[in-house]
Amino acid sequence: MDRFRRWVSPGAEYEPLEHAPQDDEDRHSISSQPQSTPVFSRAEYGVFLMLGVSMLWAWNMFLAAAPYFYHRFSSDEWAATHYQSAILIVSTVTNLGSSFTLAKFQKWTTYPRQITISLLINIGIFTLLALSTGFLKDVSTKIYFSFLMLMVFGASLATGMNQVGVFAYVSGFGREEYTQAIMAGQGVAGVLPGIVQIISVLAVPDQTGGTNVPQESSKSAFLYFITSTFVSLSALVAFGSLSKRRKNAMTESTERPSDTGSERTDGKTVSLWGLFKQLRLMALALFICFLVTMMFPIFTAKIESVRDPESRSRFFQPAVFIPLAFFFWNAGDLTGRMLVLIPRLSLAHRPLALFIFAIARIGFLPLYLLCNIRGREAVVKSDFFYLFVVQLLFGVSNGYLGSSCMMGAAYWVPENKRESAGGFMSLMLVAGLAAGSLLSFFLSDV
């Protein structure tokens, strides 16, 4: 029992920066003079918000274009049945592999260059996808399936590079608000596509028995993909401006040469195991948070309104109700990511509380079983219960917990390890998503 208390309590290895350094390397890296807090900049906050949007916008566009992909694969039963699983497997494995590799070999990493390359890859990938809606209309299903998997691989590789690079780069600024900006941007990237999807369905008159579904058209897919191109391009321009200003400021400064750590890791690789020992509770909380979160899409895609199918309005039909449920979750997620900005509500510096909170979120999963899954009778016959209690609050808990863990990580490591800690926490986030995706297959028959 004493060993367990020592493991979970913030002791010698879980020492905040204000306390004594832990080893000779940390004593050498932390100045004896008090570290001044960098000035907050709204412009820099806005750039990191934009980077957060671009980080997840690509993935959300793949989800929004799912009806188009299904329409393209409708002539091949195997492809139509398995394309979503194939996208999920390729994306999670590639994302996790690239994130682990980049976090492991930090000594060869230049973060601004890594971020720039990732955004350029995204621009190229989604430009090709947009063009494919016109030029690849008549190719065989096998060729288009292979093309799509290649595009998913490229986009996932770019996402892994972007996540590790951005979270490492932002840690060098010494402002937790900037990390929150990235998390908030990811929340925005989840909310906006859902709104567009709902509007696109409601804007078309209901035609019972009709086969013309707006999301299946090549025009809709083209807009999804070309929008992703412009989002990545905007993020690239904004980041280029920030990186240039940052580099010029460090060049002019002769008093703080250690700031170059924001640009490069100084040729040293920080042990991932060493970072885990210092950040164990936050790292595990983040991993568990996103592992549990990846279960919700399995339920959300199958839960219908409890209203009578014969008399329900179009707003409660599956074509609108399911995207609406995703919107409620994403809106809650964005709300949770903003709540951490309120100091009194923040748990960013309380790792044990975050770990307990992550475990407690598992309690949301049984609540989905009380809802109307696959049109079966719901135990709790209330759409309000499903949308506001289950979806909204589950989303709030994800955004709040994930942002708190990412923001608080830099507090528990010395300044010369902040960038590496940011990359490591990004790796734990991706690992949680990958593990949750694999476990979600066991719930697919619910």
Side-chain angles (χ1 to χ4, degrees):
M1 195 65 184
D2 291 338
R3 174 181 287 183
F4 177 76
R5 290 195 186 98
R6 288 195 301 270
W7 191 84
V8 300
S9 61
E13 290 184 327
Y14 233 111
E15 201 81 39
L17 295 181
E18 287 80 356
H19 294 176
Q22 301 163 20
D23 51 39
D24 292 338
E25 180 183 350
D26 293 347
R27 290 188 183 96
H28 177 72
S29 63
I30 300 176
S31 173
S32 59
Q33 299 297 325
Q35 298 290 332
S36 59
T37 302
V39 177
F40 175 81
S41 168
R42 291 184 179 180
E44 292 177 349
Y45 182 93
V47 172
F48 286 115
L49 180 71
M50 188 66 195
L51 287 171
V53 172
S54 68
M55 196 178 292
L56 286 191
W57 190 274
W59 173 248
N60 282 291
M61 286 301 99
F62 276 117
L63 295 179
Y68 170 74
F69 295 141
Y70 181 81
H71 178 69
R72 289 295 303 262
F73 298 134
S74 59
S75 60
D76 188 316
E77 183 179 354
W78 185 91
T81 303
H82 295 92
Y83 81 93
Q84 286 183 315
S85 298
I87 289 176
L88 187 63
I89 292 172
V90 171
S91 62
T92 53
V93 171
T94 303
N95 198 346
L96 179 59
S98 61
S99 299
F100 177 80
T101 302
L102 291 167
K104 184 70 175 176
F105 300 103
Q106 304 141 18
K107 62 182 178 181
W108 295 304
T109 299
T110 303
Y111 296 126
R113 183 181 302 170
Q114 179 177 317
I115 296 167
T116 300
I117 292 174
S118 70
L119 292 171
L120 288 172
I121 292 175
N122 258 347
I123 291 171
I125 290 293
F126 282 95
T127 299
L128 288 174
L129 281 168
L131 294 175
S132 73
T133 61
F135 292 113
L136 298 182
K137 280 185 176 181
D138 301 323
V139 300
S140 67
T141 301
K142 291 183 179 179
I143 292 178
Y144 188 76
F145 186 89
S146 300
F147 169 78
L148 179 60
M149 293 304 108
L150 181 62
M151 295 298 100
V152 171
F153 172 81
S156 301
L157 177 65
T159 299
M161 294 175 63
N162 191 279
Q163 285 179 328
V164 172
V166 171
F167 280 116
Y169 184 74
V170 73
S171 297
F173 284 73
R175 298 291 314 199
E176 293 181 353
E177 298 92 337
Y178 294 167
T179 302
Q180 183 275 334
I182 299 172
M183 302 298 289
Q186 292 179 343
V188 172
V191 170
L192 292 183
I195 296 175
V196 173
Q197 192 173 9
I198 294 171
I199 293 175
S200 66
V201 175
L202 295 177
V204 178
D206 187 17
Q207 297 177 352
T208 304
T211 59
N212 185 22
V213 181
Q215 296 96 321
E216 293 181 1
S217 71
S218 58
K219 291 182 179 179
S220 295
F222 176 83
L223 290 176
Y224 290 150
F225 299 142
I226 205 65
T227 300
S228 298
T229 299
F230 282 110
V231 168
S232 296
L233 181 61
S234 300
L236 178 63
V237 172
F239 176 72
S241 176
L242 172 64
S243 180
K244 185 177 180 179
R245 292 198 308 269
R246 178 76 166 168
K247 188 175 182 179
N248 291 338
M250 290 189 297
T251 301
E252 295 173 359
S253 175
T254 58
E255 298 179 357
R256 297 180 61 187
S258 62
D259 283 348
T260 54
S262 297
E263 299 290 325
R264 193 172 179 85
T265 58
D266 297 328
K268 288 193 297 184
T269 296
V270 180
S271 167
L272 295 181
W273 177 246
L275 288 172
F276 176 77
K277 289 194 295 183
Q278 289 181 290
L279 301 169
R280 54 180 173 260
L281 290 182
M282 282 190 168
L284 288 174
L286 189 66
F287 176 85
I288 295 171
C289 171
F290 285 94
L291 182 150
V292 174
T293 291
M294 284 305 292
M295 305 297 171
F296 98 90
I298 299 297
F299 292 106
T300 305
K302 299 174 182 178
I303 294 179
E304 301 177 11
S305 171
V306 297
R307 296 171 182 254
D308 185 1
E310 300 296 330
S311 60
R312 68 174 59 148
S313 66
R314 193 178 182 195
F315 202 78
F316 292 95
Q317 293 175 1
V320 177
F321 188 76
I322 292 176
L324 180 66
F326 276 105
F327 168 77
F328 266 83
W329 191 94
N330 284 305
D333 179 58
L334 178 58
T335 301
R337 293 168 189 249
M338 301 304 295
L339 285 176
V340 295
L341 288 177
I342 304 175
R344 292 183 179 180
L345 299 180
S346 177
L347 294 176
H349 299 160
R350 298 180 179 275
L352 180 58
L354 293 174
F355 179 73
I356 295 173
F357 186 17
I359 298 295
R361 287 184 76 243
I362 299 175
F364 274 99
L365 297 182
L367 298 181
Y368 282 101
L369 300 178
L370 304 178
C371 302
N372 189 21
I373 300 176
R374 295 185 184 274
R376 299 193 293 260
E377 287 292 326
V379 177
V380 180
K381 297 182 179 180
S382 170
D383 290 333
F384 179 88
F385 170 78
Y386 169 56
L387 294 176
F388 286 89
V389 177
V390 182
Q391 288 289 84
L392 186 67
L393 293 184
F394 194 33
V396 169
S397 67
N398 178 77
Y400 178 84
L401 180 57
S403 297
S404 297
C405 291
M406 294 301 298
M407 290 173 63
Y411 181 77
W412 299 100
V413 295
E415 187 175 2
N416 67 323
K417 292 184 180 180
R418 285 178 180 174
E419 291 86 356
S420 298
F424 169 73
M425 291 298 285
S426 176
L427 173 63
M428 294 301 297
L429 187 156
V430 174
L433 292 175
S437 299
L438 294 175
L439 287 177
S440 67
F441 285 107
F442 294 99
L443 298 175
S444 59
D445 294 329
V446 173

